[in-house]
């Protein structure tokens, strides 16, 4: 593995560069990839963003979001584009299994592979820029540009993408992962002319009535397990369909569990509309490590206080499995 600055001299105009976020990308994944894309365009590079699947509609307004190629819409032509790539940047994930239908294609590619990410236990890449202490990959993109000594070229569009990613992965600066460097960078982004309140409005005050009613349903179904300081929320297919579920509608719902007094562990389970599986989000407070929990029991991963995973069992069995596992974590949860 090489130090990240080794990639800088290889970034030349004749190279074809692909930038890929993880499947089901969130605002940090799309914010960081578009920040890097807009920056590469600015310095005259030939870059393309390819997302494994569709991103939520509430990210459509990010500068150049309309240029993102959605691989699942046409996997054959996307594979051709990736095959011709000279350099592939992977952003906001730590292992190629996180890009789903693009995994094999990227693995087989002879392109130079670069990882910019903040998840635990990154895999081997040709160039690795990973820092689990940094709250958002979008912040790492800022540092990457800084390392290239091209901070001056960050314009309002690039700054907007970085800011959107940072507020999303920091819960608008409230998570413990926020660093002094995060605020210092944000001060610089503000000086680039971004409109922080409209970015916030675009991300969070842009809901359909169906989504808010789905949230109300979720909270109605909330299950507080006081003895484990845990909250479980779940949504079945029927509820998702009743409220006309659109991609991204359940983002952030898991955080509502942590609003309960004394709750340190929130689990949100959502039935997949197309496959027989349950997608799970985990959030915690303090030192309860949900990355380890998700890896060990639900084929997932993430960060210490925010992780995800899946279950191939049905909703009832998954919740029962979760409750059985919780017994082994009781003392850890009470110590937080
Ligand atoms: P979310 O709960 O918002 O989907 O994801 C929280 C964090 O966990 C994100 O950083 C995300 O990248 C990671 N994550 C979510 N689902 C999975 C998964 O299935 N596997 C792994 N390794 N990480 C995940
Ligand atoms: Mn992230």
């Amino acid at each position: 593995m090489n130090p990240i600055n080794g990639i800088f001299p290889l970034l030349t105009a004749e190279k074809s560069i692909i930038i890929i976020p993880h499947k089901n990308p969130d605002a940090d994944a799309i914010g960081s990839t578009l920040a890097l894309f807009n920056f590469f365009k600015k310095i005259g590079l030939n870059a393309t963003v390819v997302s494994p699947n569709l991103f939520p509609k509430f990210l459509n307004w990010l500068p150049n979001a309309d240029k993102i190629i959605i691989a699942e819409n046409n996997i054959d032509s996307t594979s051709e584009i990736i095959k011709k790539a000279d350099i592939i940047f992977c952003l906001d994930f730590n292992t190629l299994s996180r890009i789903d239908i693009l995994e094999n294609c990227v693995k087989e590619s002879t392109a130079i592979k670069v990882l910019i990410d903040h998840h635990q236990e990154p895999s081997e890449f040709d160039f690795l820029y990973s820092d689990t202490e940094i709250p958002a990959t979008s912040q790492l993109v800022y540092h990457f540009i800084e390392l290239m000594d091209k901070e001056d070229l960050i314009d309002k569009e690039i700054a907007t993408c970085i800011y959107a990613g940072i507020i999303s992965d920091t819960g608008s600066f409230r998570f413990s992962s926020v660093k002094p460097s995060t605020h210092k960078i944000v001060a610089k982004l503000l000086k680039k002319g971004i409109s922080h309140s409209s970015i916030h409005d675009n991300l969070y005050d842009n809901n359909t009535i169906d989504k808010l009613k789905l949230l109300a349903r979720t909270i109605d179904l909330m299950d507080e397990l006081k003895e484990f300081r845990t909250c479980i929320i779940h949504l079945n297919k029927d509820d998702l369909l009743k409220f006309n579920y659109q991609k991204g509608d359940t983002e952030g719902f898991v955080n509502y569990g942590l609003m309960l007094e004394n709750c340190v562990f929130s689990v949100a389970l959502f039935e997949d509309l197309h496959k027989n599986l349950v997608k799970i989000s985990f959030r915690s407070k303090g030192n309860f490590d949900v990355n380890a929990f998700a890896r060990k029991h639900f084929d997932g991963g993430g960060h210490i206080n925010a992780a995800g995973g899946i279950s191939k069992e049905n909703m009832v069995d998954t919740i029962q499995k979760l409750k059985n596992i919780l017994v082994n974590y009781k003392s850890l949860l009470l110590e937080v």
Side-chain angles (χ1 to χ4, degrees), residues 141-157:
V141 169
Y142 188 98
H143 291 308
F144 179 86
I145 297 172
E146 210 174 28
L147 285 171
M148 284 185 80
D149 211 12
K150 297 204 185 295
E151 224 179 326
D152 288 353
L153 294 181
I154 296 180
D155 56 22
K156 187 178 167 186
E157 280 67 41

Side-chain angles (χ1 to χ4, degrees), residues 22 26-29 32 91-93 117-119 134-138 165 168-169 303:
H22 57 78
D26 55 9
D28 187 35
S32 59
L91 265 61
D92 202 36
F93 61 89
D117 180 48
H118 66 140
H119 291 87
I134 299 296
T137 298
S138 301
S168 165
D169 264 25
H303 313 277

Side-chain angles (χ1 to χ4, degrees), residues 22 98 119 279 281 283 300-303 306-309:
H22 57 78
R98 296 278 288 129
H119 291 87
K279 180 81 190 84
S281 284
R283 297 292 186 273
H303 313 277

Side-chain angles (χ1 to χ4, degrees), residues 185-201:
I185 284 173
V186 165
K188 292 180 190 174
L189 298 178
L190 290 174
K191 285 194 187 143
K192 302 278 183 184
I194 62 165
S195 169
H196 63 282
S197 56
S198 16
I199 296 173
H200 202 278
D201 282 355

Side-chain angles (χ1 to χ4, degrees), residues 68-136:
I68 298 178
I69 293 177
I70 308 296
E72 71 174 7
N73 288 350
N74 192 338
I75 187 62
D76 293 337
S77 67
T78 313
S79 304
E80 284 308 308
I81 296 172
I82 291 179
K83 266 185 206 151
K84 289 185 194 134
D86 299 301
I87 304 174
I88 300 176
F89 278 81
C90 293
L91 265 61
D92 202 36
F93 61 89
N94 52 357
T95 156
L96 290 178
S97 62
R98 296 278 288 129
I99 54 174
D100 199 44
I101 51 170
L102 292 177
E103 178 179 1
N104 287 336
C105 174
V106 170
K107 266 188 188 155
E108 285 159 16
S109 156
T110 54
I112 295 168
K113 287 160 206 148
V114 187
L115 182 73
I116 303 181
D117 180 48
H118 66 140
H119 291 87
Q120 314 273 323
E121 300 176 48
S123 322
E124 292 273 317
F125 275 74
D126 297 318
F127 292 92
L128 182 65
Y129 187 41
S130 161
D131 190 339
T132 58
E133 291 290 301
I134 299 296

Side-chain angles (χ1 to χ4, degrees), residues 51-294:
S51 174
N53 64 347
L54 209 59
F55 54 88
K57 260 210 308 232
F58 66 79
L59 300 174
N60 274 348
W61 57 276
L62 281 166
N64 279 326
D66 57 326
K67 306 253 171 34
I68 298 178
I69 293 177
I70 308 296
E72 71 174 7
N73 288 350
N74 192 338
I75 187 62
D76 293 337
S77 67
T78 313
S79 304
E80 284 308 308
I81 296 172
I82 291 179
K83 266 185 206 151
K84 289 185 194 134
D86 299 301
I87 304 174
I88 300 176
F89 278 81
C90 293
L91 265 61
D92 202 36
F93 61 89
N94 52 357
T95 156
L96 290 178
S97 62
R98 296 278 288 129
I99 54 174
D100 199 44
I101 51 170
L102 292 177
E103 178 179 1
N104 287 336
C105 174
V106 170
K107 266 188 188 155
E108 285 159 16
S109 156
T110 54
I112 295 168
K113 287 160 206 148
V114 187
L115 182 73
I116 303 181
D117 180 48
H118 66 140
H119 291 87
Q120 314 273 323
E121 300 176 48
S123 322
E124 292 273 317
F125 275 74
D126 297 318
F127 292 92
L128 182 65
Y129 187 41
S130 161
D131 190 339
T132 58
E133 291 290 301
I134 299 296
T137 298
S138 301
Q139 179 176 340
L140 285 174
V141 169
Y142 188 98
H143 291 308
F144 179 86
I145 297 172
E146 210 174 28
L147 285 171
M148 284 185 80
D149 211 12
K150 297 204 185 295
E151 224 179 326
D152 288 353
L153 294 181
I154 296 180
D155 56 22
K156 187 178 167 186
E157 280 67 41
I158 300 168
T160 295
C161 298
I162 295 175
Y163 188 81
I166 291 177
I167 58 168
S168 165
D169 264 25
T170 61
S172 302
F173 306 109
R174 76 184 187 279
F175 297 157
S176 53
S177 53
V178 171
K179 295 284 171 303
S181 62
T182 316
H183 284 290
K184 277 189 191 155
I185 284 173
V186 165
K188 292 180 190 174
L189 298 178
L190 290 174
K191 285 194 187 143
K192 302 278 183 184
I194 62 165
S195 169
H196 63 282
S197 56
S198 16
I199 296 173
H200 202 278
D201 282 355
N202 285 336
L203 288 176
Y204 300 113
D205 297 339
N206 197 5
N207 299 295
T208 60
I209 185 88
D210 276 336
K211 178 184 162 174
L212 293 183
K213 287 186 177 180
L214 186 64
L215 174 61
R217 172 75 180 144
T218 313
I219 293 174
D220 197 33
L221 293 171
M222 218 179 223
D223 189 9
E224 184 185 19
L225 309 176
K226 271 194 175 161
E227 57 170 325
F228 299 110
R229 304 179 73 191
T230 295
C231 175
I232 300 179
I233 60 179
H234 75 280
L235 285 172
N236 290 324
K237 273 183 202 170
D238 289 350
D239 284 316
L240 294 166
L241 291 173
K242 179 172 173 202
F243 294 103
N244 188 29
Y245 171 81
Q246 303 292 311
K247 196 167 207 56
D249 276 358
T250 54
E251 281 237 11
F253 283 13
V254 63
N255 294 315
Y256 284 83
L258 291 182
M259 288 181 181
L260 278 172
E261 57 180 350
N262 284 322
C263 177
V264 293
F265 185 30
S266 176
V267 185
L269 305 100
F270 306 109
E271 245 177 14
D272 192 289
L273 286 181
H274 310 289
K275 293 180 202 143
N276 281 328
L277 60 83
V278 176
K279 180 81 190 84
I280 315 174
S281 284
F282 302 97
R283 297 292 186 273
S284 67
K285 288 196 172 163
N287 56 8
F288 186 68
D289 184 349
V290 291
N291 168 51
F293 189 93

